[in-house]
Each structure stands twice: as structure tokens, then as C-alpha cells.
Amino acid sequence: GENVEQHPSTLSVQEGDSAVIKCTYSDSASNYFPWYKQELGKRPQLIIDIRSNVGEKKDQRIAVTLNKTAKHFSLHITETQPEDSAVYFCAAGDDFGNEKLTFGTGTRLTIIP
Amino acid sequence: DADVTQTPRNRITKTGKRIMLECSQTKGHDRMYWYRQDPGLGLRLIYYSFDVKDINKGEISDGYSVSRQAQAKFSLSLESAIPNQTALYFCATSEPDRGGYNEQFFGPGTRLTVL
């Protein structure tokens, strides 16, 4: 089955700086890569996703890049703000009869004011 | 607003007891999932269902069972709870579009403690 590894497990950055979280996956059939944000005591919520026919996707201050050859994808947050403090999860899944997601172990991002 | 709800929100029980966690949704989605979240381990899939007649095991189904009573309801049972099932449990729903995958919407979670 799919195995998703996520690094780092914790990350602290100064407010206004950029944060990068990286994930690798094992199953070459995976073609969908979402990122979820979980604020303290809240439920996970989707913040951005990318499909394998796209190399990069941006939404305001967040972006995701995908390298299918190397089987890795990354989340980039620019101009970080205190409200970006949360746990972030990457995930991988495929649409070909195995339509479930495998999640990474999470990254706790802390923005230092 | 259409939502995913879970009951109970918190539960403390003893080893050996039978426990049922319930999930309901008003989103009209066919697909429903049960995950457990443990510190440092992320979200792990227990069971999933693509419609009322479809039940599939996830990566950690041992010790759990599920029932899909209707499109809107998906219950998770622990037949004989043990302490290492202490965790935060999330239900989620999704509905694929023509592009395939789509967003999963999570419930608020149930914090289960097994003493």
C-alpha cells in the first residue's frame, strides 16, 4: 500500500518568513495530493490540493509543488502570519479503484511573533 | 449549512466495554470514512464506505467494526475496548467530481479514553 512520509515534524518560523513542509510517497499510481490544516482543537480542513497533471498550484500565500519523478511534493507558505500556526497534514491517493487517502504524520508549525 | 456531526464528542469508558461512535452528515455525500488520530501518527484510516452496500477495511481495522445504516449515517463500534484504542476519532465525507478525487469534510471529532 501507499506510504507517505512528512518532514519536519515541528517547524518554527519568524512571522513574515516562509515555511516549507515536504512529503514523499511510495505508490507511483497516486495522482492526488491534498494538504489539510488542523488548528488546535479543531477538525482538519483542506487548504490546497494538486493533481498529477500539474506541477505547481498557488492560492494567495500558499503553494504546492509536485515532482512525480522523485515522488515528492511540498507545501510553501509565504509571509507567514500568526493564524498560520497549526498542524499541517499531507496526503496521497489515487482514482483508479483505490480511492482512499493515506496521510502523512503531520507537521506542527509555530509562527513566532 | 450542510455539516458532518459526531456523537458523543467525549467518552470515557473501561476496558472490555462495547462502544459505538456515531457520524451523521447533511452534505448528501455517498462516501464516508472513519479515521483515528494519535500524536505523531497522523490520521489513519479505519474503515470507509462508498455507498450503503459498500464497506471496506482501512489500514487499522482490527478491533473495530462499522455499520452504514443510511447514506447519511456511518457508525464505528469497538466491541471490547482496550486502552490502546484511546485516541481522537474523526468521521469524514466526500463526493468525487468528474476530475476524480475531491475534498474530504471532517466532523468535529470524538475523544475516546479507555481506562
Side-chain angles (χ1 to χ4, degrees):
Chain A
E2 177 64 276
N3 181 49
V4 177
E5 294 189 357
Q6 183 171 348
H7 299 281
S9 57
T10 61
L11 178 62
S12 295
V13 301
Q14 210 70 35
E15 182 177 353
D17 288 350
S18 296
V20 180
I21 302 170
K22 299 182 179 182
C23 289
T24 60
Y25 62 99
S26 61
D27 190 347
S28 56
S30 290
N31 61 354
Y32 175 68
F33 307 94
W35 288 86
Y36 283 79
K37 175 183 180 182
Q38 185 180 26
E39 297 177 358
L40 189 63
K42 301 287 182 65
R43 66 189 80 183
Q45 291 189 299
L46 180 74
I47 56 171
I48 194 167
D49 56 14
I50 191 168
R51 299 180 191 275
S52 60
N53 57 348
V54 175
E56 183 176 3
K57 185 176 179 181
K58 289 183 179 179
D59 183 3
Q60 300 183 335
R61 295 186 300 107
I62 61 173
V64 56
T65 58
L66 171 65
N67 183 326
K68 283 218 74 178
T69 302
K71 296 196 188 75
H72 68 70
F73 56 112
S74 300
L75 177 71
H76 304 253
I77 306 174
T78 59
E79 301 174 10
T80 53
Q81 300 170 3
E83 55 264 36
D84 295 328
S85 292
V87 177
Y88 292 81
F89 294 99
C90 63
D94 74 75
D95 288 340
F96 305 107
N98 186 31
E99 297 166 9
K100 57 185 175 67
L101 295 177
T102 300
F103 284 83
T105 50
T107 296
R108 181 173 298 280
L109 174 63
T110 302
I111 307 302
I112 305 166
Chain B
D1 281 344
D3 201 7
V4 184
T5 57
Q6 293 182 232
T7 55
R9 295 293 312 278
N10 289 282
R11 182 70 184 267
I12 300 173
T13 190
K14 294 182 179 179
T15 298
K17 294 290 188 182
R18 184 179 188 276
I19 295 295
M20 179 180 285
L21 309 183
E22 300 188 336
C23 177
S24 294
Q25 53 114 346
T26 56
K27 289 191 167 294
H29 292 170
D30 282 331
R31 299 183 177 185
M32 298 187 74
Y33 310 81
W34 274 105
Y35 294 92
R36 68 176 276 177
Q37 184 176 20
D38 299 275
L41 295 178
L43 293 157
R44 293 183 292 165
L45 184 64
I46 307 172
Y47 271 95
Y48 60 107
S49 169
F50 286 171
D51 63 42
V52 174
K53 296 180 182 179
D54 176 76
I55 300 290
N56 304 282
K57 292 183 178 180
E59 60 181 303
I60 54 163
S61 59
D62 286 351
Y64 301 95
S65 63
V66 291
S67 173
R68 184 81 183 265
Q69 301 95 323
Q71 187 211 33
K73 296 186 181 296
F74 193 35
S75 300
L76 176 71
S77 292
L78 289 68
E79 296 301 326
S80 179
I82 57 176
N84 77 359
Q85 292 178 314
T86 293
L88 182 58
Y89 289 84
F90 284 103
C91 173
T93 74
S94 73
E95 191 69 26
D97 58 22
R98 276 188 283 177
Y101 263 113
N102 213 340
E103 178 177 0
Q104 290 195 11
F105 294 88
F106 285 81
T110 294
R111 186 166 296 281
L112 176 66
T113 302
V114 183
L115 302 176

